[in-house]
């Protein structure tokens, strides 16, 4: 938590993605500044996603490609962002 606060302390932030799971409830927020560069906004969002995939893979002890594949499969199975972990598909 302290590291996240340190990272968010400053005006030079281009993008931020925050996801929190508390007591089985999923709370995800995404905010991004484009600074007049809408073409670069998508690349920054994709870079955030890639960094997050690597972080999850490291914590799970698996390859990033495994996490990315599982995330893509899961994204294809959900019709909306789940509000709780109970709303995630079984597989």
């Amino acid at each position: 938590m302290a590291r996240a606060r340190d990272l968010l302390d400053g005006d030079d932030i281009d993008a931020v993605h925050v996801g929190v799971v508390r007591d089985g409830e999923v709370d995800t927020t995404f905010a991004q500044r484009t600074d007049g560069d809408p073409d670069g906004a998508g690349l920054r969002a994709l870079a955030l996603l890639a960094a997050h995939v690597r972080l999850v893979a490291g914590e799970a002890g698996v390859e990033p490609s495994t996490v990315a594949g599982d995330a893509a499969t899961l994204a294809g199975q959900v019709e909306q962002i789940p509000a709780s972990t109970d709303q995630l598909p079984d597989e």
Side-chain angles (χ1 to χ4, degrees), residues 15-46:
V16 63
H17 180 215
V18 177
V20 176
V21 177
R22 185 178 294 127
D23 295 328
E25 298 296 315
V26 177
D27 183 11
T28 302
T29 302
F30 179 76
Q32 181 171 323
R33 298 182 207 161
T34 62
D35 294 331
D37 181 18
D39 295 332
L43 284 176
R44 284 193 297 273
L46 190 56

Side-chain angles (χ1 to χ4, degrees), residues 3-85:
R3 175 74 175 130
R5 287 185 183 106
D6 288 344
L7 288 171
L8 294 172
D9 187 23
D11 293 332
D12 60 341
I13 298 171
D14 291 324
V16 63
H17 180 215
V18 177
V20 176
V21 177
R22 185 178 294 127
D23 295 328
E25 298 296 315
V26 177
D27 183 11
T28 302
T29 302
F30 179 76
Q32 181 171 323
R33 298 182 207 161
T34 62
D35 294 331
D37 181 18
D39 295 332
L43 284 176
R44 284 193 297 273
L46 190 56
L48 274 172
L49 176 60
H52 188 75
V53 164
R54 290 188 63 85
L55 176 69
V56 171
E59 289 188 17
V62 298
E63 291 295 317
S65 60
T66 300
V67 173
D70 289 349
T73 299
L74 182 60
Q77 293 175 353
V78 295
E79 294 182 21
Q80 62 183 20
I81 297 172
S84 77
T85 53

